[in-house]
Amino acid sequence: MNQNTSFHQPVFFENIHELLRIQPGQIVVDGTCGEGGHAALLAPCVLPDGKYIAIDRDGQILEKAKNRLMHYSHIDWFNENYSSIQEILARLEIQQIDRMIVDLGLSMFHLRIMERGFSFLSEEELDMRFNPADSPLSAFDVIHYFSESEISDILYSFGEEKMARRIAKKIVDKRGEKPIKTCRDLAKLIASVKGFSKGSHPATQSFQALRIYVNAELHHLNLLLSQSHLIFSKGALMAFITYHSIEDRIVKRFAIESPFFYMREKKPLTPSQEEISRNPAVRSAKLRVLVRS
Ligand SMILES: C[S@@+](CC[C@H](N)C(=O)[O-])C[C@H]1O[C@@H](n2cnc3c(N)ncnc32)[C@H](O)[C@@H]1O
């Protein structure tokens, strides 16, 4: 199956169709529609009488998906948080769904095109919010108004950054001299503490931590999981694509502890070497499929 390379390249594109086995007539929720890469593949599978519910917290990116898939009248669009799924279904008068896909994290669109300060290589102002209307604090606010220990806790808890304390101290020292305005300023400062080594940029974990914090990403994931037993039909499938171990642990623990779900395969699916060489951004992706018992 060919992908349109002018859009975000969805991970597990080849596997997802086979794993979810979507049937005509089913109700499928795409909790993180993004530019509609997975939607372009999955939405037609429910035709002629099923429904595809496309949600994204970021209205700008959802517009791109809408333009791309406007020829499908069976897609309902929601610029909302996937954690509002029960309210969304109530509005549609739908009691139960058959499939849900949640592809966490951010899209290449956020890194390359948007001016919301997600990329450490950019001169954009530090922001990192998917939707400023539903997230009161930007990354700039956290960096400038939080205490040294609060910053250190965020970097450690959400980025597993081992040098969190030293980075937080440097941030607090530097912000006293002049504001740390752009992504590149912050990335340089972090690199000056950690130095460069082989592999990812030294600011990767800190940027991930700030993004997770300002968007309350783990809160929304937990909120979705806590209500999921109410919205799935028996045998329904919920697929999670995660990009770091914190998210994957939450999904895995939920599947182990929940009396309502089990993991279809014990081990998560990881991208093939071929997929990683085509799209290195997906190297840490994991796919888990949960079944409603
Ligand atoms: C990895 S991208 C999804 C890419 C998409 N599957 C595709 O094929 O194009 C993740 C998307 O999730 C959205 N997002 C992140 N957290 C969200 C949340 N809590 N609720 C709804 N959308 C969210 C982001 O705005 C982003 O567009």
Side-chain angles (χ1 to χ4, degrees):
M1 181 112 23
N2 286 331
Q3 294 186 53
N4 183 334
T5 49
S6 60
F7 292 102
H8 168 90
Q9 288 183 49
V11 62
F12 300 118
F13 192 74
E14 275 97 20
N15 318 83
I16 201 92
H17 183 249
E18 189 186 322
L19 285 168
L20 289 184
R21 292 183 316 228
I22 295 174
Q23 307 295 319
Q26 287 190 324
I27 298 176
V28 176
V29 176
D30 187 335
T32 51
C33 178
E35 289 182 78
H38 288 121
L41 174 72
L42 302 178
C45 302
V46 302
L47 288 170
D49 51 350
K51 203 177 247 320
Y52 198 85
I53 301 167
I55 304 172
D56 203 289
R57 192 176 180 179
D58 185 327
Q60 247 176 296
I61 202 165
L62 197 66
E63 274 309 307
K64 288 203 73 173
K66 267 191 200 177
N67 289 333
R68 180 181 187 182
L69 301 171
M70 58 181 16
H71 49 286
Y72 289 123
S73 58
H74 70 298
I75 305 184
D76 284 302
W77 302 95
F78 291 91
N79 174 209
E80 292 188 41
N81 203 301
Y82 61 62
S83 61
S84 304
I85 183 65
Q86 274 186 283
E87 289 98 89
I88 293 172
L89 295 179
R91 264 180 266 154
L92 294 169
E93 299 183 0
I94 289 174
Q95 255 100 52
Q96 289 195 314
I97 61 173
D98 301 298
R99 301 283 185 270
M100 181 164 184
I101 171 168
V102 182
D103 180 11
L104 293 160
L106 76 174
S107 164
M108 286 316 279
F109 183 66
H110 290 112
L111 293 174
R112 290 213 185 112
I113 301 167
M114 284 192 158
E115 291 172 348
R116 300 238 206 94
F118 283 104
S119 163
F120 40 70
L121 301 172
S122 79
E123 288 292 352
E124 295 162 11
E125 278 194 21
L126 277 168
D127 192 313
M128 302 194 195
R129 287 173 291 180
F130 290 123
N131 181 354
D134 76 9
S135 309
L137 296 175
S138 68
F140 180 92
D141 297 328
V142 173
I143 290 298
H144 290 84
Y145 305 122
F146 279 31
S147 69
E148 187 176 321
S149 67
E150 285 169 329
I151 296 172
S152 168
D153 285 349
I154 289 170
L155 302 188
Y156 186 73
S157 310
F158 303 129
E160 298 178 320
E161 174 52 73
K162 291 197 179 67
M163 295 174 86
R165 279 179 189 218
R166 287 178 55 192
I167 295 170
K169 180 170 187 331
K170 184 88 174 199
I171 287 172
V172 170
D173 288 349
K174 282 284 168 190
R175 77 183 184 193
E177 293 165 19
K178 67 172 187 163
I180 304 157
K181 273 197 170 158
T182 69
C183 298
R184 199 187 293 260
D185 291 343
L186 179 62
K188 269 198 210 157
L189 184 152
I190 295 169
S192 75
V193 176
K194 290 184 70 179
F196 281 91
S197 57
K198 257 193 179 170
S200 52
H201 188 284
T204 304
Q205 287 141 295
S206 298
F207 270 58
Q208 172 191 299
L210 288 166
R211 196 200 77 222
I212 291 177
Y213 181 80
V214 299
N215 293 295
E217 290 181 30
L218 305 184
H219 164 74
H220 291 293
L221 177 58
N222 281 310
L223 205 57
L224 169 69
L225 292 170
S226 68
Q227 60 191 300
S228 54
H229 61 289
L230 299 170
I231 57 169
F232 282 94
S233 58
K234 202 172 157 46
L237 304 177
M238 177 159 64
F240 285 94
I241 300 174
T242 63
Y243 294 87
H244 55 79
S245 54
I246 308 173
E247 284 169 345
D248 183 56
R249 268 202 301 273
I250 291 177
V251 174
K252 184 177 164 188
R253 188 169 307 153
F254 171 80
I256 292 171
E257 291 173 1
S258 168
F260 304 108
F261 287 90
Y262 61 92
M263 259 182 296
R264 203 173 58 184
E265 291 83 21
K266 252 192 175 161
K267 292 211 160 156
L269 188 74
T270 52
S272 63
Q273 270 315 316
E274 198 249 315
E275 183 160 16
I276 294 173
S277 47
R278 216 177 337 119
N279 183 9
V282 304
R283 62 190 173 277
S284 53
K286 286 186 181 155
L287 169 62
R288 290 189 190 271
V289 178
L290 274 52
V291 186
R292 174 72 166 96
S293 43

